[in-house]
Structure formats: C-alpha cells, structure tokens
C-alpha cells in the first residue's frame, strides 16, 4: 500500500498546473452558485456583477470580465461562454491575475508637494554587506537596495590609508573599505532602475577640506547634469519628487575639519554588541511595542545626551571657514543640529528648511515630551531616524514610531532581515513601489488654533478591517519535500495582524492544520483601526514544531490603505523579501 507521502506527492504533482475543485473553500462555492446560471456557468455578465459587488471593483466592465474568462478557458469546458467552478477558483487563486494590491494604478499619489510631505525609502550604512563591526564594505548592497526601490543611500566617507583619496567604510570599526568613486558610479548606473524618482545620497563626512574638494569633483564628474545643485545657499522649501525625477541629491552637514585625534579616541571606545534573540535566525525579533511610550527592546540602553550622536557643533562652526566651497555648493539638503538642545533643534525657520538626524533612542525620548513639536517640524523639514549603535548584527527597530511623528527618512539596515524590515518593505509597496509615499493629511495639516496632530491622542475607530484567511498553497513546489518534516507533510498555522499606531497594533493566529501541504483554515479576524492611514497588514505562516522553534513558511506585509477589497491571492515572501514562485494564500478583505 502506498505511503501517505506517496499519495501527497501524486496529489500535488497533479496540481502543478491547476487546483482541483475539491479544495475550493465553502464560501467560494457559495459565491459561484450565487453568480452563475443554472447550468453552472459564470458568464461575463455574472462575473462583472461579482467583480462589482464582492470585489468592489465598481468600474469593472463586461469586456474586462470576458478577458478574464478568455484567460482561463483552458480550465473550462464552456470556453468563451464563461467560467466553471474550477476555473473561477483558479482565477481567484492566481496572484498574477488577482493580487491584493492593484498592479495597474502604479504611482497614483500627488507627487508635486515638497519632499518633506513624503515618507522616503531610506537605507542606513548602505554599503555594508553584513554586521556593523567587521563585514566588508561594497557597492553590491547599494545596487541591491536601489533595485528594490530604496531612494536614500547613506555613505560614510573617510580618508584612505595614504590620506590622498576617499574610502567608504563604517568608521571606528573593523569593516574593510570600498572606494567612494566605485559607490558613486554604481549609484549612477542603478539609481533609476526601480523608480524614476530622486535618489538622495546622505554623506557622513569625516574629511579634510582638500578631500572634500576631491569629493566635490568626483560627484560633479560622475553625475553631471542629473545632480541637483541648489542655486542658493539654503532652500526656503524643498522641491517636489515630481520636479526632481531622475535627479541625484546630496545631503550632509556643513563641511568641517577632519579631526584625527577624535577619530582615534572613538576607535578605542568601540561599539557594544547586542545579544540576538533565540528566534532571530528564522524570524528576526518581534517588532517592539510602542504602547505607553516604552519599547522593551531598548531597556538598559543609556543615551543621556539626546543630541550627542555626531561631532560637536562648535567644531562645525569653526571649520566652515576653511571648508571647500565646491563641496558646500553641492549640498541641497543641509543637515545638522543648532545649539540649545531639543527645543532649538525642533524650531521651524520660515526662511529655510533642513534635515535633523536622531537615533531611534533619541526619537523615543523626544517623543515623550515633544511629540507635537516633532510633527510640526516634519511638516516643512526632514527628520532622519537611524538605528542605535548597539545594533551590531544589523537588526532594525519599529519604524512606526518615526512614521507616526512624520519622520520622512526612517533609516534601516537593508541587510537586517526580519520582522522590522518586512514592515519597511510593506510600507513601500504603496504608491506603485516608487520609494515615496505621501504622508497622511493629518500629519501635514495645521488647525485653526495652530494645532497639529498629537501622536499620543487616543482616537476613535475609523474603520474595521475584516480579514478571512481561507487556505494556502505552493510550498510543495517551492520547498524540498523534507524541508519541514522528514516523514510527514507540514503542520501550518498563520499569524495575521496589524502594525500601526499603538492602539491598532495586534497579532492573532489561526488553528494549526496538521499534515497538509495545502492547509485550509477558513478563519475570520477583525481589526478595528483608528489610524488606517498608517496601518500595515502583517501575515506570517509558521510550520509548527513540537520539539524546536517553528519553521519559517513565508511572510508578507501590505499597506492597509491600498488593499483591494474582496477575495485575493496573496503571494508570500522569503525572509529577505524575495517573492516565492508559488507560495500564496487565498484571503478576503472587507472594510466594515
């Protein structure tokens, strides 16, 4: 008698090109009966009604419905007449034809507002291939980031060993350098592969004036006409992404002296290493909670001086006199911190705009007492948030604390795979994946009494997202058949939830389905949302392991405000954000 594995293999082999009707969830059968004739045929007229009433595609036409039918006629004995249950089920479960985000709308947000009105896909230490302490520096991570739509590339620039040229490396560590010119040339070659909207290069500058002049020459010669150089010393308002299409922008602090003595001192101090969580290899750390203004991931980390992350301001002021003018003229987005502490840093100057950088810890502390001031600052100016110095293994933090305060550049280690990075990838699936997402109106508006959005306010529920997770499919094709268990099919369950403002954030899970490559859960979850404009739908599939930690079965993260209502095929992704060829879920999204 054949084993259970043999049956499973034969069954799945037959399904390689289509799913059998026997696997269709009960609700799919019910909907097909409702939207088909007595002969079991869903005609173009029926399908158009289904698209309008269930899928909420109000503008769907019969011609579009007929195109869908024509694309699935090989699965139906009725051919052009319409869909049968099998072809209807396979249409719904096709992530190519029925994805959760509309593939046709592309870049659809208004792109004519100032840069400060957008969340921007931002990298941190973009040149590192691995950890922050000893990995190689290379242009390959920069190329990978640009190909995935990242729009802000960070380069730390230092004198090379002979002090006559410029390298990129993580200073005060053991990372091996890469030549700056190689990074610049790679940026130029790959800048607009994934998006035509501007690329910002943020420079952490540790150079002498003569090397700053050399950098200015490199940048000018490499980028030529695509470099955006402002005509005035400072901008009164940032240009728009639309006006800066296919342009490269330089952002850094005003030039200052390279102080070798300080470099030696900081090298000797060195960073401290964090201890990875037990499940970090498979999933990454769970995204830290923002409730109550505390984040458990940050405990026992001291950061007494909220503004002491970069060189002393006095040094910058003294060295401006000697810095290379050519270098200074290239800076379009000026960075730096004024004297006087946090209050002065967050003051809005009506005559010029600038960029302020805060570590994740500094932002957390500032948000406790100056939340509304941060929102007001980010309406005109740019706030960059970067990972704390103890993230040696290139992990990341919860990006929502930055986004809910209007921070445009929430900088992430793009090689730091895990849950936090999945949120970042989910956010920038929005707006056609162009790397710029318009901030919600409430973060940009000023009320009649000059009030702005309060990130600590407890807001009423605006809408409820109802999620039905029917089933999953595709692991048999994309994973080795012994990947999860050597002697039996996998035991899958799903985690479904929301990442958003604190009161919206939650995770739930389905029941476990044992010994099945195509699990059917048929479970419904409801998520009340006070701020759906910042909500991300999180989905993870786990393979239950009684004796060890659960195995990774796929993940995705989707912007709630762009979800297509109705029944959709949701593709899953690997740990590093690559889409699987076949693994997907059948889910339904309703806003009630």
């Amino acid at each position: 008698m054949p084993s259970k594995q043999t049956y499973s293999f034969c069954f799945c082999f037959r399904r390689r090109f289509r799913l059998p009707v026997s696997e269709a969830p009960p609700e799919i059968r019910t909907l097909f009966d409702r939207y088909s004739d007595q002969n079991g045929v869903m005609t173009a007229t029926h399908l158009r009604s289904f698209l309008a009433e269930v899928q909420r595609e109000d503008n769907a036409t019969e011609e579009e419905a007929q195109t869908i039918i024509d694309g699935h006629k090989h699965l139906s004995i009725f051919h052009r007449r319409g869909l049968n249950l099998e072809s209807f089920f396979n249409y719904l479960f096709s992530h190519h034809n029925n994805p959760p985000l509309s593939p046709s709308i592309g870049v659809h947000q208004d792109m004519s507002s100032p840069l400060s009105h957008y969340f921007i896909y931002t990298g941190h230490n973009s040149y590192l291939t691995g950890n922050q302490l000893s990995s190689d520096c290379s242009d390959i991570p920069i190329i990978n980031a640009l190909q995935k739509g990242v729009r802000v590339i960070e380069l730390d620039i230092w004198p090379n060993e002979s002090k006559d040229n410029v390298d990129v490396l993580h200073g005060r560590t053991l990372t091996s350098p890469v030549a700056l010119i190689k990074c610049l040339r790679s940026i130029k070659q790959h800048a607009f592969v994934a998006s035509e909207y501007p690329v910002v290069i943020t420079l952490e500058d540790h150079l002498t004036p003569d090397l700053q002049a050399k950098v200015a020459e490199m940048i000018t010669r490499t980028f030529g006409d695509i470099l955006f150089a402002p005509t005035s010393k400072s901008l009164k308002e940032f240009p728009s992404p639309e006006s800066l299409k296919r342009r490269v922008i330089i952002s850094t602090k005003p030039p200052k002296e390279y102080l070798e003595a300080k470099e030696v001192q900081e090298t000797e101090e060195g960073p401290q290493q964090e201890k990875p969580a037990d499940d970090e290899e498979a999933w990454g750390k769970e995204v830290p909670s923002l409730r109550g203004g505390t984040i458990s991931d940050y405990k026992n980390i001291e950061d007494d001086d909220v503004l002491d992350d970069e060189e002393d301001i006095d040094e910058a002021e003294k060295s401006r006199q000697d810095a290379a003018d050519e270098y200074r003229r290239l800076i379009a987005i000026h960075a730096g911190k004024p004297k006087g502490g946090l209050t002065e840093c967050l003051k809005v100057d009506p005559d010029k705009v600038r960029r302020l950088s805060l570590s994740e810890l500094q932002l957390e502390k500032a948000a406790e007492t100056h939340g509304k001031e941060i929102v007001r600052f980010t309406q005109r100016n740019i706030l960059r948030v970067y990972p704390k110095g103890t993230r040696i293994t290139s992990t990341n933090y919860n990006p929502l604390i930055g986004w809910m305060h209007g921070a445009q550049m929430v900088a992430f280690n793009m090689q730091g795979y895990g849950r936090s990075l999945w949120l970042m990838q989910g956010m920038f699936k929005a707006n056609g994946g162009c790397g710029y997402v318009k901030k919600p109106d409430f973060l940009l508006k000023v009320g009649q009494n000059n009030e702005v959005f309060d990130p600590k306010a407890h807001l009423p529920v605006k809408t409820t997202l109802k999620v039905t997770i029917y089933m999953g499919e595709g692991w048999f094709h994309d994973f080795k058949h012994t990947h999860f268990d050597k002697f039996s099919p996998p035991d899958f369950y799903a985690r479904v939830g929301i990442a958003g403002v604190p009161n919206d954030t939650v995770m739930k899970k389905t029941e476990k389905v044992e010994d099945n490559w195509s699990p059917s859960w048929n479970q419904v979850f409801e998520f009340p949302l006070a701020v759906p404009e910042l909500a991300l739908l999180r989905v993870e599939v786990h393979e239950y392991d009684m004796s060890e930690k659960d195995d990774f079965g796929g993940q995705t993260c989707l912007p709630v405000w762009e979800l297509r209502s109705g029944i959709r095929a949701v593709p899953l992704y690997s740990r590093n954000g690559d889409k699987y060829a076949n693994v997907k879920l059948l889910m339904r999204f309703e806003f009630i």
Side-chain angles (χ1 to χ4, degrees):
M1 181 176 180
S3 67
K4 180 164 60 174
Q5 276 187 296
T6 303
Y7 278 128
S8 177
F9 175 79
C10 295
F11 180 62
C12 289
F13 183 81
R14 290 197 303 269
R15 295 182 312 168
R16 182 164 294 180
F17 299 104
R18 62 185 185 183
L19 291 164
V21 175
S22 59
E23 292 194 45
E27 187 173 348
I28 304 302
R29 296 169 178 268
T30 300
L31 287 169
F32 180 80
D33 291 341
R34 184 185 306 167
Y35 290 95
S36 61
D37 61 24
Q38 294 180 342
N39 297 317
V41 179
M42 180 181 283
T43 66
T45 301
H46 292 121
L47 180 55
R48 193 212 68 80
S49 297
F50 169 81
L51 294 174
E53 296 170 16
V54 177
Q55 306 293 78
R56 301 299 181 190
E57 298 175 24
D58 298 332
N59 297 323
T61 65
E62 285 199 22
E63 289 76 11
E64 292 169 337
Q66 187 62 55
T67 300
I68 293 171
I69 292 170
D70 293 343
H72 291 78
K73 61 185 179 183
H74 60 289
L75 298 178
S76 174
I77 61 173
F78 304 108
H79 302 301
R80 284 187 58 82
R81 280 186 56 204
L83 301 175
N84 61 10
L85 175 58
E86 182 179 17
S87 54
F88 174 64
F89 175 40
N90 278 270
Y91 156 66
L92 290 178
F93 215 164
S94 168
H95 64 262
H96 298 293
N97 298 319
N98 189 35
L101 305 179
S102 177
S104 62
I105 59 175
V107 178
H108 58 278
Q109 295 180 335
D110 172 27
M111 303 299 285
S112 63
S113 297
L115 287 176
S116 56
H117 288 203
Y118 300 84
F119 298 130
I120 310 173
Y121 204 174
T122 301
H124 173 255
N125 290 349
S126 304
Y127 48 86
L128 287 179
T129 56
N131 68 66
Q132 304 284 312
L133 183 61
S134 60
S135 65
D136 292 335
C137 300
S138 169
D139 63 329
I140 300 301
I142 297 170
I143 294 170
N144 292 338
L146 292 169
Q147 289 176 339
K148 292 182 177 180
V150 173
R151 298 289 85 192
V152 182
I153 300 296
E154 183 189 31
L155 304 176
D156 286 13
I157 50 178
W158 296 79
N160 65 355
E161 285 189 6
S162 57
K163 312 295 184 186
D164 61 355
N165 214 322
V166 181
D167 280 340
V168 173
L169 75 154
H170 195 199
R172 305 177 293 278
T173 69
L174 303 176
T175 56
S176 61
V178 59
L180 172 62
I181 188 63
K182 186 175 184 180
C183 295
L184 296 178
R185 288 170 177 167
S186 292
I187 291 172
K188 181 182 181 181
Q189 183 178 354
H190 299 275
F192 307 110
V193 170
S195 169
E196 61 182 347
Y197 288 95
V199 168
V200 180
I201 302 175
T202 59
L203 299 175
E204 283 296 327
D205 172 10
H206 306 273
L207 303 177
T208 53
D210 61 315
L211 288 179
Q212 289 171 347
K214 191 159 192 170
V215 169
E217 182 182 358
M218 282 187 203
I219 290 173
T220 303
R221 183 174 298 176
T222 301
F223 296 112
D225 292 341
I226 70 171
L227 182 68
F228 172 74
T231 55
S232 59
K233 289 185 178 180
S234 59
L235 296 171
K236 188 170 183 177
E237 183 178 69
F238 289 119
S240 69
E242 188 67 30
S243 69
L244 293 170
K245 275 184 177 179
R246 305 190 72 85
R247 304 295 294 272
V248 171
I249 306 167
I250 303 300
S251 178
T252 186
K253 291 170 287 186
K256 49 187 167 293
E257 293 284 358
Y258 170 72
L259 300 177
E260 186 172 355
K262 184 166 186 177
E263 177 206 0
V264 171
Q265 178 185 355
E266 292 177 334
T267 303
E268 291 171 351
E269 293 172 356
Q272 299 175 354
Q273 186 162 355
E274 62 181 349
K275 182 180 179 181
D278 291 339
D279 67 344
E280 189 171 331
E281 182 180 351
W283 296 96
K285 293 180 181 178
E286 182 53 88
V287 180
S289 172
L290 301 180
R291 287 192 174 93
T294 60
I295 301 178
S296 59
D297 190 40
Y298 304 156
K299 63 185 178 182
N300 299 326
I301 303 295
E302 297 298 330
D303 189 21
D304 294 329
D305 184 358
V306 75
L307 299 177
D308 188 24
D309 70 299
E310 297 172 357
E311 286 80 2
D312 186 78
I313 299 301
D314 289 336
E315 294 167 0
E317 295 295 333
K318 292 174 183 175
S319 62
R320 285 187 187 186
Q321 305 294 326
D322 302 319
D325 289 339
E326 298 90 343
Y327 182 77
R328 185 185 296 109
R329 281 196 291 267
L330 297 181
I331 303 172
I333 301 176
H334 285 258
K337 297 187 176 86
K339 297 180 181 180
L342 185 60
T343 300
E344 288 298 317
C345 280
L346 295 175
K347 278 189 175 179
V348 177
D349 189 331
D351 296 320
K352 64 179 180 180
V353 288
R354 57 190 170 90
R355 171 172 70 85
L356 174 67
S357 289
L358 296 175
S359 74
E360 55 175 291
L361 289 174
Q362 293 165 352
L363 176 62
E364 182 195 1
K365 285 191 173 184
E368 292 177 4
T369 54
H370 292 74
K372 288 187 286 187
E373 288 82 355
I374 299 172
V375 172
R376 191 182 304 278
F377 177 85
T378 58
Q379 290 180 341
R380 276 182 44 79
N381 301 282
I382 289 176
L383 175 60
R384 177 178 172 270
V385 186
Y386 58 92
K388 63 187 179 183
T390 55
R391 293 191 179 275
I392 301 303
T393 58
S394 295
T395 57
N396 289 298
Y397 50 100
N398 189 337
L400 268 302
I401 190 170
W403 292 333
M404 63 190 284
H405 287 85
Q408 298 86 351
M409 296 182 179
V410 178
F412 262 36
N413 297 306
M414 295 301 165
Q415 77 279 31
Y417 306 130
R419 289 179 169 118
S420 293
L421 185 58
W422 301 341
L423 298 187
M424 179 69 63
Q425 292 166 343
M427 164 64 83
F428 290 100
K429 287 185 176 85
N431 200 25
C434 74
Y436 287 80
V437 174
K438 188 78 179 292
K439 293 199 288 188
D441 286 344
F442 63 79
L443 286 172
L444 301 171
K445 287 183 177 178
V446 178
Q448 292 182 346
N449 298 316
N450 202 33
E451 71 272 13
V452 297
F453 173 72
D454 183 359
K456 287 188 174 181
H458 292 277
L459 302 173
V461 171
K462 186 178 291 186
T463 188
T464 295
L465 173 63
K466 181 180 178 182
V467 175
T468 305
I469 179 165
Y470 294 113
M471 62 178 296
E473 163 67 14
W475 290 277
F476 191 88
H477 305 309
D478 290 350
F479 288 76
K480 291 182 179 179
H481 302 161
T482 56
H483 177 85
F484 297 109
D485 291 300
K486 290 185 177 180
F487 304 110
S488 65
D491 307 325
F492 287 125
Y493 69 93
R495 296 181 75 221
V496 185
I498 297 292
V501 299
N503 286 343
D504 289 350
T505 300
V506 66
M507 286 299 286
K508 302 178 181 181
K509 67 179 181 178
T510 67
E511 299 296 326
K512 175 182 59 177
V513 175
E514 296 184 348
D515 296 337
N516 201 317
W517 283 99
S518 297
S520 292
W521 297 289
N522 295 307
Q523 288 187 239
V524 181
F525 303 99
E526 292 188 1
F527 302 104
L529 301 174
V531 188
E533 300 91 339
L534 289 178
L536 298 166
L537 178 68
R538 294 178 56 190
V539 182
E540 299 175 357
V541 175
H542 296 235
E543 200 278 327
Y544 177 77
D545 194 322
M546 183 181 301
S547 59
E548 301 176 8
K549 62 187 178 186
D550 292 348
D551 291 318
F552 180 90
Q555 59 83 22
T556 192
C557 188
L558 299 166
V560 166
W561 63 94
E562 289 201 4
L563 279 178
R564 303 168 78 195
S565 294
I567 300 167
R568 305 294 176 184
V570 179
L572 295 188
Y573 296 75
S574 67
R575 293 183 189 90
N576 63 358
D578 295 326
K579 185 188 291 186
Y580 289 122
N582 298 286
V583 178
K584 55 187 180 292
L585 305 176
L586 188 64
M587 303 180 71
R588 183 173 184 175
F589 308 117
E590 301 169 87
F591 291 93
I592 57 178

